[in-house]
Amino acid sequence: MTVPKTAWSPVALVRRGSIRSRRALDLGGVLYVLPALAFLALVLLLPVAMTAGLSLTSWDGLGPIKWVGLANYTALLSDPIVTTAMGNAVVMTFFTLAIPIVIGLATAIVLSRITRRLRTLWRTLLFLPAVIAPVVVAVGWRLVYEPTTGLLNGLLGAVGLSGLAKPWLGDFGLALPATGVVATWMEYGLVMVLFLAGIQRISPELFDAAKVDGAGLMGEVRHVTIPGLRYELLVAVVVTLIDSFRNFALIFNLTKGGPGNATVVPVLEVYRRGILHGRVGSASAIGITITVVLVLLVLGVLWLVRRRGGDEAAG
Amino acid sequence: MNRSPGGIGHRRMTVAVAFVAALVTACGGNQATTSPTSAAGTPAATAGAPTAAATATSDREPNCQNMTTDAVTLNYWDDLNENLSDAGVAKLDAAFKAKYPNVTLNRTAKTFSDILTTEKLQASAPTPPDILITNGGYALLGPLVAAGLMKALDDYATAYGWDKRFPEGINRQQRFSTDGKTYGTGSLYTVAPTATYVGLFVHKANLASLGLSEPKTFADFEASLAAAKAKGLVPLVQGVSEGWPAIHMFTTFENLKVPNDQLNNLVYHTAPASFDTPENVAAAAIAQDYGKKGYFGEGYLGKTAQAAIDEFNAGKALYFLQGTYFSAPIVQALGDGAEMILVPGTEGGPFSVTGGPGTAFGISSKSKIPDLAACYIDWRTGQYASELYVAEGGLPAMNFTYTGTSTFTKSVFDAWAKASSPNDAIVPYIDFAATNLLDFMSSESQQLVAGQITPQQYATDVQGQYAQFTP
């Protein structure tokens, strides 16, 4: 299966370099996108602008709004919970981005080498976690991790490893990795499907050529598969990076940030401050900070890939 | 602090439907004379004499004053877990509609955490529900009053006798100055159907198996914990993964270490008070010590309260330390095999009990039918509603004499009476003291019992958070 050249997809878009090229402004085209743009402004840009405005104020959500300038932002710098949340977000990136990409790549390579019928079956099964709503995932995994009646401790006990049984989500050291495992479970399916489509698009002659040159499986993966998946990899990194900051539903339903603040992440802190603590200004400041950090990270990734692409073109 | 009993919630959530407020058919609020029909459906022979009707009707049917005859819809919020069961509410609503067929009742039942997260937004909307159900103190009611979103209920309290129906200890926790700044005095803003307090659920068979009787002193209590641990029972089973239940692992001992006036000052802000005192640190040290000794059971930080209740009901624990808001799943499983007692204080030491009105009904200042709303609140907090609630094992907010045969329910009433008299030892849930305290103390208390922070650090941190709040 190959992706038609005319098809619009993030992969195709990046490949054709449309992101880079700034075509001459086509007024007719602008008119066509105007309704969508207006809608976008209403539901996205306006709320972001309002949040940015609120981040410069002190407001409890009901009473008068007081202008405080950048005080909310400077306070974040010395706020221990924000520091913890940002640190946890970095750890979650490992579980939501790095591990899923490794697992996704490995499963995609295996699936690309089995018969079509088996592949379809396994692809569907392995992709299932990615389509289940995060709330359902969290409720399910809470039952798995439950200390006394949970599936995991039950299994450990059944194979004589009850010494390893732990209160997974109630342990200050284990709660974050345990949450991370669930994030990985939810995320790898998307990456796998993305890579699988990419592998099937790579010209079979390249694999044949590698075989003729005496490359084993690892050689093929290293010299054919991974370079051929460069653009899929870019999309996977961007999507999982964004997801690693948008994990409110999972964390809220799994641990609510606990025990203590062991699994607090920035988005959860936005909710706690804005909705529960009556500190809308501080919550907005965190929200804006997350947005800025995320946009910078994504731009950084795009820039890196573009530079690499440029080097190769020049070389 | 409160309660959103996980397990009960799940159980009822599966059947409960949150009705969407859809129809507001009439402006209402008109002062037309009444033409009520009796519960049996026959027209009452009264016209324009609601007070006469009041004396003539029984407490088995609602009795509204200034009742409109227009077709109106009353939109009301209800507590999904902490109040009467859905079946009980349906019974009351059917009786209300039988007498006032012109009224459509539109119920939206919410969990406690749902109330906390959505109340401010809903109350400040252009058309909020006529009746709101809210948490007390500065945690939620205060900000709503300060923003002018709640109606003062003093006139209704006089008309319907609410000032006499409830103990003043209950009403006090629902009073605010009209600017929302002073708590505990001023106008009545809410009326609670239920009361709750924090105590000790005792597994009677397990206590007997240890050869012990109900502990009368703190030393007895501690001896029973040690005896239970030695016998392989969980002494004080807990499940605090939802956060808020962890607060009571501290406040229970705070009640026995910190003098009552200091606790009241903390909540009501009547005089300067601090969490960073030796007494609070001592209370925190007990909680941490019990955590170290393993008194709260295995993995209690990763377990829900419902999971702890299941363990307690299965006979694996001696005590379950939480409030009467968890009575239902315990009485359903153990019946009179359980009882409720108060944790005894030390000889001559401070003694108080955390408790007060449960989530309570108030009227939106934007409601166009406040008279009808007040009448409905009266119906939901009166004798008949309370009898239904008691039959379910609950504790009503009103002055109520229990005459039933359940020894469990009797123990709930007895302990409440002991806490209330002769010197009122009830202090409000500590999170009522400030808007930002409930959530903060939840995670802080988890860290305390797990030994992640010292008792002194706990006291300093909580005080730091408390000090950020100004009424």
Side-chain angles (χ1 to χ4, degrees):
Chain A
M1 189 186 91
T2 56
V3 178
K5 283 199 169 133
T6 48
W8 189 96
S9 74
V11 177
L13 189 69
V14 176
R15 172 161 298 120
R16 290 201 305 269
S18 320
I19 288 175
R20 285 173 67 190
S21 64
R22 292 183 180 78
R23 291 176 186 168
L25 204 61
D26 178 350
L27 275 179
V30 170
L31 278 178
Y32 277 117
V33 297
L34 210 56
L37 209 61
F39 184 71
L40 188 75
L42 190 72
V43 300
L44 186 72
L45 302 182
L46 187 67
V48 169
M50 284 169 69
T51 308
L54 282 173
S55 73
L56 305 173
T57 66
S58 167
W59 186 39
D60 70 353
L62 285 175
I65 303 179
K66 206 168 69 190
W67 177 266
V68 295
L70 291 173
N72 287 324
Y73 289 94
T74 49
L76 293 188
L77 295 174
S78 57
D79 191 323
I81 294 182
V82 172
T83 314
T84 307
M86 287 294 182
N88 289 346
V90 173
V91 176
M92 285 304 284
T93 310
F94 179 69
F95 285 102
T96 315
L97 189 155
I99 303 183
I101 285 181
V102 173
I103 297 180
L105 184 63
T107 44
I109 290 169
V110 172
L111 290 189
S112 70
R113 283 160 188 270
I114 59 179
T115 64
R116 191 186 177 126
R117 184 171 292 177
L118 268 180
R119 186 193 310 148
T120 310
L121 173 73
W122 279 107
R123 189 183 55 201
T124 310
L125 287 177
L126 290 170
F127 188 62
L128 268 181
V131 296
I132 304 174
V135 179
V136 179
V137 170
V139 171
W141 276 88
R142 226 167 45 199
L143 296 177
V144 172
Y145 281 141
E146 216 279 333
T148 40
T149 56
L151 185 67
L152 182 55
N153 283 352
L155 284 176
L156 286 172
V159 296
L161 291 173
S162 55
L164 293 178
K166 294 273 188 304
W168 302 98
L169 297 175
D171 185 293
F172 279 80
L174 291 173
L176 190 60
T179 306
V181 167
V182 184
T184 301
W185 187 77
M186 287 170 71
E187 203 72 33
Y188 81 91
L190 177 72
V191 180
M192 176 195 76
V193 168
L194 205 57
F195 285 164
L196 194 56
I199 291 173
Q200 287 167 341
R201 193 188 38 73
I202 297 173
S203 166
E205 287 97 39
L206 289 177
F207 287 105
D208 294 341
K211 276 199 193 97
V212 170
D213 287 348
L217 173 64
M218 288 317 289
E220 275 184 34
V221 167
R222 196 175 147 203
H223 298 292
V224 180
T225 314
I226 293 181
L229 289 176
R230 190 184 322 126
Y231 296 107
E232 283 78 8
L233 190 65
L234 167 68
V235 175
V237 167
V238 170
V239 170
T240 53
L241 185 63
I242 293 171
D243 280 356
S244 53
F245 279 83
R246 287 199 319 185
N247 43 17
F248 176 82
L250 175 67
I251 303 265
F252 178 79
N253 290 292
L254 205 56
T255 63
K256 287 201 164 55
N261 293 314
T263 56
V264 161
V265 287
V267 275
L268 187 76
E269 201 51 25
V270 171
Y271 158 79
R272 285 168 73 179
R273 289 178 192 214
I275 306 287
L276 298 178
H277 298 191
R279 296 170 67 195
V280 178
S282 181
S284 305
I286 298 178
I288 293 294
T289 308
I290 301 171
T291 310
V292 170
V293 167
L294 208 49
V295 167
L296 288 179
L297 283 173
V298 170
L299 287 179
V301 171
L302 288 174
W303 178 77
L304 265 178
V305 170
R306 204 178 299 169
R307 205 184 58 164
R308 288 279 315 264
D311 290 348
E312 281 173 19
Chain B
M1 162 41 274
N2 268 281
R3 25 189 185 227
S4 146
I8 317 170
H10 291 149
R11 186 168 51 77
R12 283 199 195 147
M13 232 179 296
T14 53
V15 289
V17 177
F19 298 112
V20 178
L23 309 165
V24 179
T25 50
C27 298
N30 94 29
Q31 305 299 308
T33 49
T34 60
S35 176
T37 50
S38 74
T42 50
T46 53
T51 336
T55 49
T57 52
S58 78
D59 55 18
R60 288 292 175 273
E61 61 179 37
N63 175 31
C64 294
Q65 304 184 17
N66 286 334
M67 186 59 193
T68 178
T69 51
D70 296 345
V72 287
T73 298
L74 178 76
N75 292 303
Y76 75 94
W77 272 17
D78 206 351
D79 192 309
L80 184 63
N81 309 124
E82 202 188 288
N83 208 328
L84 202 56
S85 66
D86 291 341
V89 173
K91 208 170 187 176
L92 289 175
D93 281 4
F96 197 92
K97 280 186 258 191
K99 179 153 180 189
Y100 302 113
N102 60 318
V103 177
T104 304
L105 296 172
N106 196 0
R107 177 179 190 238
T108 304
K110 293 189 159 252
T111 62
F112 180 65
S113 52
D114 198 14
I115 293 168
L116 293 185
T117 48
T118 55
E119 181 115 340
K120 283 183 181 176
L121 290 168
Q122 273 286 305
S124 55
T127 49
D130 301 291
I131 296 176
L132 294 156
I133 189 143
T134 171
N135 197 23
Y138 293 106
L140 191 52
L141 182 58
L144 293 173
V145 171
L149 297 172
M150 303 296 285
K151 188 174 174 57
L153 305 178
D154 300 315
D155 292 345
Y156 296 122
T158 313
Y160 286 106
W162 295 337
D163 37 4
K164 295 185 188 66
R165 177 182 294 173
F166 304 97
E168 181 51 26
I170 287 284
N171 280 348
R172 184 190 180 195
Q173 290 196 33
Q174 304 180 80
R175 291 187 193 283
F176 258 105
S177 60
T178 47
D179 61 3
K181 288 192 184 306
T182 314
Y183 181 35
T185 58
S187 291
L188 189 72
Y189 277 96
T190 59
V191 185
T194 69
T196 66
Y197 63 91
V198 179
L200 210 51
F201 289 95
V202 183
H203 194 287
K204 283 159 77 174
N206 282 348
L207 187 67
S209 76
L210 296 172
L212 298 170
S213 54
E214 179 190 319
K216 302 283 185 213
T217 66
F218 193 71
D220 286 352
F221 170 66
E222 291 213 297
S224 68
L225 297 177
K229 181 82 184 156
K231 210 193 160 199
L233 288 169
V234 180
L236 272 173
V237 70
Q238 283 297 327
V240 298
S241 65
E242 292 132 308
W244 66 263
I247 295 180
H248 297 311
M249 297 160 88
F250 164 70
T251 58
T252 302
F253 307 111
E254 190 189 29
N255 288 140
L256 305 179
K257 288 287 174 190
V258 182
N260 301 19
D261 58 338
Q262 277 188 42
L263 289 174
N264 281 317
N265 287 342
L266 277 171
V267 175
Y268 291 113
H269 293 259
T270 33
S274 171
F275 279 96
D276 192 356
T277 62
E279 293 87 356
N280 276 290
V281 175
I286 297 178
Q288 191 168 71
D289 179 44
Y290 287 6
K292 276 183 191 149
K293 285 177 174 157
Y295 282 1
F296 302 124
E298 294 277 323
Y300 59 95
L301 289 167
K303 231 163 36 186
T304 60
Q306 183 59 45
I309 290 172
D310 291 343
E311 262 181 73
F312 178 79
N313 288 344
K316 292 176 183 160
L318 175 58
Y319 303 122
F320 173 56
L321 176 70
Q322 278 298 337
T324 51
Y325 37 82
F326 280 134
S327 289
I330 291 175
V331 76
Q332 277 160 21
L334 295 178
D336 289 345
E339 68 174 346
M340 183 59 143
I341 63 169
L342 302 171
V343 181
T346 46
E347 189 71 31
F351 176 77
S352 60
V353 176
T354 292
T359 47
F361 294 119
I363 301 178
S364 163
S365 60
K366 294 175 185 170
S367 170
K368 295 192 171 76
I369 43 171
D371 292 351
L372 172 61
C375 175
Y376 183 75
I377 291 176
D378 180 66
W379 175 235
R380 284 293 301 272
T381 58
Q383 178 70 27
Y384 184 45
S386 298
E387 283 173 21
L388 292 180
Y389 189 51
V390 170
E392 293 178 5
L395 179 68
M398 71 178 295
N399 294 311
F400 192 97
T401 309
Y402 180 65
T403 53
T405 53
S406 160
T407 58
F408 174 82
T409 306
K410 188 170 184 315
S411 73
V412 169
F413 273 87
D414 286 351
W416 179 238
K418 197 172 152 193
S420 315
S421 59
N423 302 313
D424 186 4
I426 306 285
V427 296
Y429 288 93
I430 201 73
D431 60 282
F432 286 11
T435 312
N436 47 5
L437 221 47
L438 173 68
D439 188 55
F440 183 82
M441 284 183 77
S442 299
S443 56
E444 197 73 8
S445 301
Q446 288 178 337
Q447 294 179 63
L448 171 74
V449 288
Q452 297 278 314
I453 51 173
T454 64
Q456 178 58 59
Q457 188 64 46
Y458 177 78
T460 311
D461 290 351
V462 174
Q463 173 58 24
Q465 191 73 12
Y466 176 69
Q468 285 179 20
F469 175 77
T470 332

